[in-house]
Every structure is written in C-alpha cells, then in structure tokens.
Amino acid sequence: METQKIEKEMLRRLPIDCLWEGLVIKDNLYNHTGETLLLPKGEQLTADRIRRLYNFNRGDQNIMIYEDVYYDILTDEHITPEVRQQLTEAGSGYRQLTQHVGGMLRNAEAWLKNDELEKLVQEISEKLVVIDPVTIFSCINFPRPMDESLQRHSLNVAFMNGMIGRWMELPQKDIRSLVMAGLLHDIGKTKIPEEILNADRKLTPEEFAVIKKHPVYSYEMLGDRFEDAIRDAVRHHHEKLDGSGYPDGLKGNQISLYARITALSDIYDAMISERSYKGAVLPFQVFDMFYREEFQGLDRKLVMLFLKHIRKHFVCSKVIMSDGTVAYIRYIPVNDAVHPLMEQHGWVRQTDDLWYCKEMLTL
C-alpha cells in the first residue's frame, strides 16, 4: 500500500490535448485521479484511443502519467512553447490574474473606488507565497500578445515589487503596498490614446512626450484614496537617481524606496517584453545588463540584491536548450550571466552563441 502511495505521488497531471496520434507511451497512463490504469507501458496512441480517453474521463480533460514521461512529452517537438506556457499560466493561476487585471484596467475609475482592488492585491500577495519565483519569472518572461501588454505589465510589476519586498524582508504591510503600487503604477496609461499606446513601431518624439504624462495621470487617478507611499511610487517610478528622470526631476534620496523598487521592476519587464520593433531579450542578457549598469539612475544596492536572489532561485532550474535538449542551470556567473553553466547527463558545460538557454521549463 505504501509503495502504491509513493508511486501515485510521482504522477503528474497532463491535458489529453498534449497527446498525439502515434505517441508510444513509455510508462503506464492513468485516469485523472491516478487510480485507474487506462493504457499500459508500450502502447501506441491512435486517434480512436485518444477519443476514448476523453470519453472515459467524463468531462475531465486530463490524464495522469509519471514525471519522466510527463517531461518527455512536454519537451517533444509536437508541443509548442505556447502550449507549455498556457499550462504554466493555468497551473500557477497567472492567467486568471491577468484577466482580473484586464477587468480592472477596462473599468479603472470604478475599481479604484471599490473593494475588488484590495481582493486582487491579496490574491497576488498570496501567490507570492505559494508559487516559486522561477515560475513567476517564466510567466513574466514569455512573449505577450500586444492587446494584453498593459495588463500583463501591471501584473508583472506587482509580482516583482512583491518579490523584492520579500527578499528585503520587509513587513507584510509594506509588501502589500508594493504590490498595490506595482499594480497601479501605469494605470494612467488608460488615458493615453490607443494608437500611441499600442503602436507597433518606435514612437515619435511627440508621441513619447504624451506617453511620459502617464505617471502624473496615474497619480491623479489615485486621488487621496491611497497612502502617500503608494501614490509617490506611482508618480515617481520613472525618476532617476541622477535627476534625469521624469516627471519631477527628483534625484538621490528625494526618490522613495517604493519608487526605486518599482523603477527596477518596471525596467526589467519593459526589457523582457517582446515588441514588433524590439525583439525579446533573453532574461540572462537583462541580468547582465543590470550588472553592467546599462540602465541609468537605478539604485545599485537594489539591483545587486535582485541579481543575488535571481541567481539563487534560477540555479537547479530545468531549461530547454537551443538544440531541443533539456539541461539544468548549475551556476550563473556574476559578471557573465549571459553564459550560465549547465549540467546535462552528468557533464557541466558553459553556454555559448550556438548552445544557449531557450526556454525555462517550470511545468
């Protein structure tokens, strides 16, 4: 009985949609509860067998399979990165949160006045405790649809603000406030014309001047219903320590901790997002850019704390490499994050221009 219990705990849930005709099952395949054997090891799937799997589960669209086979299937060329991402977002709850944030942005004025906003902040804060940072970053790093750009950016900055607050060991009240600031920092963009906000090209100087008004719009929309620290972070997340930022040209200690944290989160997500005029940048490249101080005016202590914890959490993560194989991150050099050391079949090898990390595998 104990052996059966241990084996059941090793099973992973897999959507039937991830199976394909001709797939040879390398280990036993069970129903969605893991209690009934559906297909034995070595069986080949046919269209009829896949159809019967759907019918047997009576509405549940999942089967259970052992972990090694689970990863073999999900890293097969039949499964696209988009499908893997959908599974990650659904399993972590990230997808549902993006929908909630989208609803907030579509009805911004109403949300700023009711309790739904507090519930959303609470939900995000709870996810920070139960979801590991690598899974959160996997959701953040994946290319996003243009029509979901603002809602995902708002959610991503909220998540990153909360993670940084946790890494700084701030009180829970401060962490919740940081999540709120991240969630609302760009709410003023709802007042920017869509043809500018969603332009699929580089903005003109005149259009960028319009975009630069969004921190003030966000600040004004918050009114006096939020604590000063949140309103300050919303207004000043584009300020720079050297005084070159906007809208108020603050410098040094004039910029609050919340604003400095939000600035870091905002820049990371902006750099990692994919736009038609700027290709997506791999996370390791962004880590390296942060280390080399390529982003003017950020708080260096915060940057180094961020990189320290990122390196700690990413080590031992499973990654799909550029050749389609799977490897584990073993070490991320402090001064060369672009080329982490990977372990594969007991051998450790450093990445290069031909063999590099392509996709985090967090399923």
Side-chain angles (χ1 to χ4, degrees), residues 255-266:
I255 305 172
S256 70
L257 176 62
Y258 282 15
R260 296 180 191 209
I261 292 173
T262 307
L264 193 161
S265 302
D266 179 70

Side-chain angles (χ1 to χ4, degrees), residues 15-166:
I16 299 174
D17 285 345
C18 291
L19 304 176
W20 61 88
E21 186 177 356
L23 172 64
V24 177
I25 303 298
K26 295 182 180 179
D27 212 326
N28 294 340
L29 185 154
Y30 299 87
N31 74 325
H32 63 286
T33 64
E35 297 172 350
T36 304
L37 176 66
L38 298 181
L39 289 174
K41 175 181 178 180
E43 290 289 319
Q44 185 176 49
L45 290 177
T46 63
D48 183 61
R49 280 179 169 168
I50 293 174
R51 178 183 58 77
R52 281 188 283 170
L53 290 177
Y54 282 109
N55 293 337
F56 182 87
N57 276 341
R58 297 178 182 177
D60 193 293
Q61 304 297 296
N62 300 283
I63 50 91
M64 298 285 275
I65 201 162
Y66 285 105
E67 187 170 275
D68 56 344
V69 184
Y70 172 86
Y71 281 112
D72 282 345
I73 290 174
L74 288 180
T75 55
D76 191 275
E77 62 183 9
H78 284 84
I79 306 299
T80 65
E82 288 75 20
V83 169
R84 285 190 288 269
Q85 185 64 16
Q86 288 169 12
L87 294 174
T88 299
E89 291 188 2
S92 64
Y94 178 91
R95 180 60 185 169
Q96 185 179 27
L97 285 173
T98 62
Q99 293 169 348
H100 291 167
V101 175
M104 177 194 77
L105 293 171
R106 287 189 295 273
N107 301 279
E109 297 289 355
W111 271 71
L112 290 172
K113 297 177 183 178
N114 63 38
D115 295 335
E116 292 303 310
L117 183 58
E118 288 289 345
K119 293 178 183 177
L120 181 55
V121 169
Q122 177 63 26
E123 193 172 357
I124 296 171
S125 300
E126 291 172 354
K127 292 292 185 185
L128 286 168
V129 177
V130 300
I131 303 177
D132 67 277
V134 175
T135 298
I136 293 175
F137 274 101
S138 178
C139 294
I140 290 174
N141 295 339
F142 199 78
R144 63 206 69 172
M146 181 60 74
D147 61 352
E148 294 185 359
S149 179
L150 181 56
Q151 67 198 66
R152 285 178 178 253
H153 177 65
S154 301
L155 176 59
N156 294 346
V157 175
F159 265 130
M160 286 190 60
N161 272 10
M163 281 191 288
I164 293 171
R166 285 172 58 82

Side-chain angles (χ1 to χ4, degrees), residues 196 199-205 207-208 275-278:
I196 295 178
D200 58 352
R201 54 176 169 73
K202 189 171 183 178
L203 298 176
T204 66
E207 289 171 331
F208 186 58
R275 302 172 188 270
S276 59
Y277 61 85
K278 175 177 66 68

